[in-house]
Amino acid sequence: DGSIEFSLAQLWLVVTFSVVFGRVALLWYRYSFAVSMHWYIKFITDPFTDIPAYWMSSYQIFNPNLLKGALHTSFPNTFSMPEGYVKP
């Protein structure tokens, strides 16, 4: 029937590239090539630098005491401080 099918992952990839390269092009147009390349490198390396920075939160979220403590910190009027909670 000639229809073209895309998976959700492929669409997200297109959107991601469009946003990153669109932002780099805008920075190049508004400021300079050097500024756009600085941000391009930042966009590309950001996932890799975030891994060491945030790896502990991936398993700490499953600790009910830490989760309740984080909720209390963000919403003190709604959630009570859990007993024995120590900030990580």
Side-chain angles (χ1 to χ4, degrees), residues 38-51:
H38 171 84
W39 280 95
Y40 174 71
I41 296 298
K42 184 207 179 305
F43 289 145
I44 299 303
T45 59
D46 208 34
F48 302 106
T49 58
D50 284 352
I51 290 170

Side-chain angles (χ1 to χ4, degrees), residues 42-81:
K42 184 207 179 305
F43 289 145
I44 299 303
T45 59
D46 208 34
F48 302 106
T49 58
D50 284 352
I51 290 170
Y54 301 113
W55 69 272
M56 286 194 317
S57 64
S58 64
Y59 69 84
Q60 286 179 342
I61 194 67
F62 296 111
N63 182 332
N65 199 33
L66 290 174
L67 177 60
K68 290 175 186 174
L71 288 171
H72 170 73
T73 302
S74 297
F75 309 103
N77 296 331
T78 307
F79 296 95
S80 61
M81 178 68 81

Side-chain angles (χ1 to χ4, degrees), residues 14-27 40 43-44:
V14 168
V15 168
T16 301
F17 281 132
S18 299
V19 168
V20 169
F21 290 119
R23 183 69 177 163
V24 168
L26 179 67
L27 289 169
Y40 174 71
F43 289 145
I44 299 303

Side-chain angles (χ1 to χ4, degrees), residues 6-19:
F6 294 103
S7 70
L8 183 60
Q10 290 170 323
L11 293 174
W12 272 116
L13 190 61
V14 168
V15 168
T16 301
F17 281 132
S18 299
V19 168

